[in-house]
Amino acid sequence: MDKVLIVSGTSIISGAEIVLKDYLENTKNISSFDILCSDINEIKEFYNKVLKNRVISCKEITPTMAIKDRYSLSSKLKKILRFVNFFRVVKSVNLKHKYDIIWANNTGDIIYSIFFKKMYKRKFIINIHDIVKRNSLMGKVVRVFDRYVDKYIAVSNSVKEALVRLGISENKIYIVYNGMIIENTDNDFQFKKKETISKIGFVGSLIERKDPLTFVEFIRKTKLNGYMVYNHYDTSLYNKIKTVIEEERLNIDLIGKLDRGDIDKFMKEMDFLFIPSLQDPLPTVVLESFKNYTPCIGRNIDGIPEMITEDYNGYLFNNDDDLNLISLKIANISSEKYNQLRKNSHITVTNKFNIKVKVNKIDEILFVD
């Protein structure tokens, strides 16, 4: 069995890290993996829970903005120096003799392919969790380093299409949807009466890309109860949201951070989850919602329509007119129709986004192809 070194150059725990951990906890090939991650305690502790004593950390792949030191170097210079120093790190992990495959977990980690592929002739595979725009800096980076990449694992068809627009060969791109661990069954399903529908949830960072203000506006229009869960936030956007809630006297509870173990409980309590993202390759929160029989309302962009099917497991919107129509649908929905949406949500995640399906596909890409 080939030995695999995972590279994860991130400073926060986001969906990309969570779904990687889910895979590692469910593959039978767990002993084949070590991980090289950034030198941040939260990151190291997160991966140590699943890869005990097989976590290698280094400052060189820690994102520049997360590093605090006494040197007043520019961000660009820091990046260049760390990129050069990474060569020393690669040598220190005894790559040439120990690892057969390098598996990068974040789009930005593609820059390390030049060390692993060109200098050490290792197979280089990378997860792409982002919609990479052609004219963006990351788009240019991906095109430059593409020659050193053997395979891309795209989390949705929309991600694949974005890579193809960059000029990446379709033959190198494999679509593997993220998957949930499905433990509950129809025996756990409890019928909800239409009269009880009042709770709309939002789960995600309070940043422009997630567009939380559209959620706030939806609650204002519908006069339903809103609940916002978030780990990270842009201070100015958070203050704006808080001001609108107070001035409009909206029924919105700013909950803040929840541990992952409490997310299931939160999803069960919500009647709909609202996903207003302006860009989102395949939001994990939709899968967590579906797993708990909660239908979703999502913007019709990127990977969201690959998850939400109109009038089957939720609703899709493009503009304010669509949101007005959705508001009317919710107001007039029957108990039978609503509970069918709930059942279909669970069917969707069970059949299409099951962790077992993902594990089999990843194992095949890494160890069979």
Side-chain angles (χ1 to χ4, degrees):
M1 179 69 69
D2 289 336
K3 286 287 292 181
V4 181
L5 178 67
I6 302 170
V7 177
S8 181
T10 182
S11 61
I12 62 172
I13 304 300
S14 63
E17 288 66 48
I18 290 171
V19 295
L20 172 61
K21 183 171 177 284
D22 285 344
Y23 162 77
L24 292 171
E25 288 177 333
N26 286 276
T27 179
K28 295 178 181 178
N29 300 311
I30 183 68
S31 61
S32 297
F33 297 95
D34 290 349
I35 191 163
L36 178 64
C37 68
S38 53
D39 191 27
I40 296 176
N41 287 335
E42 181 185 12
I43 306 298
K44 291 186 289 186
E45 291 171 3
F46 177 81
Y47 286 126
N48 257 315
K49 291 177 182 177
V50 62
L51 290 175
K52 299 183 187 340
N53 303 318
R54 284 181 282 151
V55 176
I56 308 162
S57 62
C58 70
K59 186 177 181 179
E60 281 71 16
I61 66 170
T62 303
T64 305
M65 297 303 293
I67 296 176
K68 295 180 180 179
D69 56 36
R70 57 191 176 88
Y71 300 107
S72 58
L73 298 173
S74 70
S75 176
K76 288 184 179 179
L77 183 55
K78 285 181 181 179
K79 288 179 181 178
I80 293 171
L81 288 175
R82 289 192 299 117
F83 187 63
V84 172
N85 286 337
F86 190 72
F87 176 73
R88 174 181 55 80
V89 176
V90 170
K91 290 181 69 175
S92 72
V93 297
N94 196 21
L95 173 73
K96 190 171 183 179
H97 303 290
K98 193 171 183 180
Y99 301 105
D100 306 289
I101 299 169
I102 309 303
W103 183 23
N105 192 46
N106 303 89
T107 306
D109 296 332
I110 195 172
I111 63 175
Y112 305 121
S113 61
I114 191 169
F115 295 103
F116 294 119
K117 182 68 177 179
K118 186 174 183 180
M119 302 179 72
Y120 289 97
K121 311 301 181 186
R122 301 296 96 175
K123 184 182 290 186
F124 191 90
I125 299 171
I126 184 166
N127 292 334
I128 305 293
H129 301 273
D130 311 300
I131 304 292
V132 185
K133 303 291 186 181
R134 182 173 180 82
N135 295 325
S136 67
L137 175 59
M138 186 55 67
K140 295 173 183 177
V141 169
V142 170
R143 289 200 299 273
V144 168
F145 289 91
D146 171 57
R147 71 192 71 179
Y148 307 118
V149 177
D150 293 284
K151 299 176 184 178
Y152 295 87
I153 299 176
V155 297
S156 66
N157 188 60
S158 62
V159 170
K160 176 182 178 179
E161 290 174 349
L163 290 173
V164 171
R165 287 194 292 271
L166 290 179
I168 307 301
S169 170
E170 287 192 59
N171 295 330
K172 295 170 67 172
I173 307 170
Y174 298 75
I175 298 175
V176 181
Y177 287 124
N178 291 327
M180 289 283 106
I181 301 169
I182 310 300
E183 296 174 341
N184 48 12
T185 66
D186 281 345
N187 292 328
D188 300 302
F189 180 82
Q190 294 183 343
F191 191 87
K192 283 188 179 182
K193 292 183 178 180
K194 181 258 182 184
E195 292 76 16
T196 66
I197 298 175
S198 64
K199 297 180 178 180
I200 312 294
F202 170 95
V203 179
S205 299
L206 301 186
I207 57 177
E208 291 293 339
R209 182 172 67 83
K210 297 293 185 179
D211 194 21
L213 283 171
T214 292
F215 171 79
V216 173
E217 177 62 16
F218 184 73
I219 297 301
R220 187 187 70 79
K221 285 182 178 181
T222 60
K223 302 188 185 311
L224 295 169
N225 300 311
Y227 301 84
M228 303 185 77
V229 171
Y230 49 91
N231 287 349
H232 309 282
Y233 60 87
D234 174 86
T235 303
S236 62
L237 185 54
Y238 172 81
N239 290 335
K240 187 174 182 178
I241 291 169
K242 192 173 181 181
T243 298
V244 172
I245 292 172
E246 292 173 352
E247 290 181 351
E248 298 282 341
R249 296 183 178 180
L250 302 178
N251 297 320
I252 296 179
D253 186 358
L254 294 173
I255 295 173
K257 184 176 181 179
L258 286 180
D259 292 334
R260 195 181 183 196
D262 293 324
I263 288 294
D264 283 345
K265 181 180 178 182
F266 175 81
M267 294 298 189
K268 284 185 175 72
E269 292 175 351
M270 295 301 104
D271 299 309
F272 284 93
L273 186 72
F274 193 90
I275 305 95
S277 303
L278 299 172
Q279 179 181 319
D280 223 323
L282 197 85
T284 304
V285 292
V286 174
L287 305 185
E288 291 173 324
S289 184
F290 283 175
K291 184 181 75 168
N292 291 289
Y293 294 96
T294 302
C296 294
I297 302 166
R299 193 183 296 274
N300 190 19
I301 50 94
D302 299 337
I304 293 176
E306 296 178 50
M307 312 168 84
I308 302 173
T309 301
E310 180 70 22
D311 261 343
Y312 176 74
N313 52 23
Y315 303 111
L316 293 165
F317 69 91
N318 294 293
N319 49 44
D320 287 345
D321 288 341
D322 291 340
L323 284 176
N324 291 335
L325 181 59
I326 291 171
S327 298
L328 289 174
K329 286 184 176 182
I330 292 176
N332 296 300
I333 197 169
S334 68
S335 298
E336 290 71 24
K337 173 63 176 179
Y338 173 64
N339 283 281
Q340 191 59 56
L341 291 179
R342 295 178 62 219
K343 288 183 178 179
N344 292 343
S345 298
H346 195 264
I347 290 170
T348 300
V349 75
T350 301
N351 294 343
K352 189 175 181 180
F353 301 101
N354 196 312
I355 190 65
K356 293 179 181 178
V357 176
K358 174 175 180 171
V359 167
N360 289 338
K361 287 186 176 181
I362 294 289
D363 284 349
E364 186 174 341
I365 291 169
L366 292 176
F367 302 112
V368 178
D369 281 5

